[in-house]
């Protein structure tokens, strides 16, 4: 199942994409619940109250797609350094902030982004030049939790996964470096483009899914989920060891090689740059960089 949160001329709705992707059939939800996007569907699943659909699909071109979860309930949980080639490129260019250099971490590096920095497909990534001169992109597969759990074993972990979406873990490298902890560098307003839709876990093969990112039609990142050093079940087991995971929690699983900071010299983003991430079968998440204006 492929689910989209979107805005019509009247309101925000959430619905199911048709087989050919040309239309969306909305769930029958009051506006206050529909505005939660996918969270409303997960809540209904938890309550064992399946949602009914309304029988008037929208053409996909007639609506504005939003982030599947426009405002997550709590911070996006993010994994740093989960692809070895990325660990090496960051170290080679002097952007390592962990002291680990080019050596793969022994345990997953976990940080978070504020829910407020989530924006949808097509929204601008805002570049505030007073804050950063090193604006960077990171294409990532994001896991959406569907079932509550604590101390989830590796073997049980996939039962807690509802599905997936795409996240661009936008990063201000200079801010990340200056403050040691990554929250400021990773949570600036607009720094978490998400979408374009969410797909259930049966639709994506974690053993072989390409993750690609282009800046202005130039391919920069060309990774694959099979290159993750810590697998999705291992990440879920690590995070949930002492922290209860809830439906709607989002885990960004790390970025493959090819970030702007990894080039020599580095190639950071500037106003007008189009950043396009493609992860099949989720689709294409595209956002344009725009200078911050008061
Ligand atoms: Mg990242």
């Amino acid at each position: 199942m492929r689910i989209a949160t979107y805005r019509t001329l009247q309101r925000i709705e959430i619905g199911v994409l048709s087989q050919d992707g040309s239309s969306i059939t909305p769930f029958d939800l009051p506006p206050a619940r529909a505005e939660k996007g996918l969270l409303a569907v997960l809540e209904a699943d938890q309550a064992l109250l399946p949602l009914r659909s309304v029988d008037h699909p929208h053409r996909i071109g007639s609506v504005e797609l939003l982030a599947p979860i426009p405002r997550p309930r709590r911070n996006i949980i993010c994994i740093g350094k989960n692809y070895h080639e990325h660990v090496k490129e960051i170290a080679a260019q002097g952007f390592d902030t962990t002291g680990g250099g080019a050596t793969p971490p022994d345990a997953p590096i976990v940080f978070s982004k504020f829910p407020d920095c989530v924006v949808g497909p097509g929204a601008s990534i805002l570049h505030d030049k007073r804050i950063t001169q090193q604006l960077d992109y990171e294409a990532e597969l994001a896991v959406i939790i569907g079932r509550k759990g604590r101390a989830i074993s590796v073997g049980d972990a996939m039962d807690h996964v509802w599905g997936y979406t795409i996240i661009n873990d936008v990063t201000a490298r200079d801010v990340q470096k200056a403050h040691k902890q990554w929250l400021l560098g990773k949570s600036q307003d607009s720094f978490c483009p998400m979408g374009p839709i969410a797909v259930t876990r049966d639709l994506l093969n974690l053993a072989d899914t390409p993750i690609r990112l282009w800046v202005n039609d130039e391919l920069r990142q060309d990774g694959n989920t099979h290159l993750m050093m810590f697998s999705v079940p291992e990440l879920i087991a690590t995070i949930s060891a002492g922290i209860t995971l809830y439906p709607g929690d989002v885990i960004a699983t790390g970025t493959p090689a090819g970030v702007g900071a990894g080039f020599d010299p580095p190639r950071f983003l500037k106003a007008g740059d189009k950043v396009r991430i493609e992860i099949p079968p989720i689709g294409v998440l595209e956002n344009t960089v725009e200078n911050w204006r008061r």
Side-chain angles (χ1 to χ4, degrees):
M1 187 166 54
R2 296 180 297 164
I3 285 194
T5 303
Y6 56 93
R7 191 194 307 275
T8 67
L9 288 177
Q10 286 80 34
R11 52 172 284 192
I12 292 173
E13 295 182 341
I14 179 155
V16 179
L17 260 79
S18 61
Q19 199 67 35
D20 65 2
S22 67
S23 66
I24 307 175
T25 301
F27 290 115
D28 183 12
L29 283 167
R33 282 178 67 197
E35 283 177 10
K36 296 182 189 176
L38 183 58
L39 290 179
V41 175
L42 299 175
E43 282 169 3
D45 282 353
Q46 293 302 298
L48 302 176
L49 293 169
L51 294 173
R52 287 185 300 120
S53 288
V54 185
D55 191 21
H56 58 82
H58 300 282
R59 278 183 303 104
I60 190 88
S62 70
V63 301
E64 177 196 356
L65 289 179
L66 304 175
I69 304 177
R71 181 64 54 92
R73 260 198 224 100
R74 54 184 188 168
N75 287 20
I76 315 286
I77 303 165
C78 301
I79 307 304
K81 293 186 157 191
N82 201 21
Y83 290 80
H84 195 191
E85 292 303 314
H86 171 61
V87 173
K88 289 197 272 190
E89 70 178 355
I90 284 285
Q93 291 302 314
F95 285 99
D96 173 46
T97 56
T98 66
T103 310
D106 295 329
I109 294 171
V110 185
F111 63 97
S112 74
K113 289 167 96 82
F114 284 152
D116 318 74
C117 65
V118 170
V119 295
S124 295
I125 297 167
L126 299 174
H127 184 190
D128 188 338
K129 291 184 192 169
R130 296 165 303 180
I131 308 291
T132 179
Q133 274 69 53
Q134 297 184 343
L135 186 69
D136 209 349
Y137 52 83
E138 293 188 355
E140 305 200 10
L141 177 72
V143 173
I144 301 166
I145 296 295
R147 211 176 98 203
K148 179 181 171 180
R150 186 176 190 274
I152 300 165
S153 70
V154 168
D156 290 342
M158 291 309 292
D159 294 339
H160 293 262
V161 173
W162 177 87
Y164 306 96
T165 188
I166 302 171
I167 272 180
N168 187 346
D169 178 18
V170 178
T171 304
R173 296 286 172 209
D174 37 8
V175 179
Q176 184 183 21
K177 198 167 181 178
H179 295 275
K180 312 297 183 214
Q181 301 283 320
W182 298 358
L183 186 83
L184 285 180
K186 298 275 195 176
S187 283
Q188 301 283 316
D189 294 346
S190 80
F191 273 23
C192 192
M194 180 195 290
I197 63 166
V199 304
T200 45
R201 67 167 189 255
D202 55 298
L203 295 184
L204 187 143
N205 175 12
L206 282 174
D208 182 19
T209 292
I211 299 177
R212 296 195 185 96
L213 179 145
W214 290 258
V215 177
N216 303 328
D217 302 326
E218 179 191 346
L219 182 64
R220 296 278 189 92
Q221 294 188 276
D222 189 8
N224 191 294
T225 50
H226 77 75
L227 296 168
M228 283 186 200
M229 291 187 286
F230 297 103
S231 68
V232 167
E234 287 169 334
L235 295 174
I236 290 172
T238 300
I239 296 161
S240 73
I243 297 174
T244 302
L245 286 174
Y246 293 94
D249 281 343
V250 178
I251 303 170
T253 55
T255 199
V259 300
F263 286 85
D264 185 12
R267 302 174 72 184
F268 295 115
L269 294 170
K270 58 182 189 313
D273 282 346
K274 264 192 310 179
V275 187
R276 169 192 163 95
I277 303 175
E278 187 173 330
I279 304 181
I282 306 166
V284 171
L285 174 65
E286 186 171 297
N287 300 85
T288 302
V289 180
E290 183 187 346
N291 282 330
W292 177 275
R293 282 192 294 269
R294 277 178 178 275

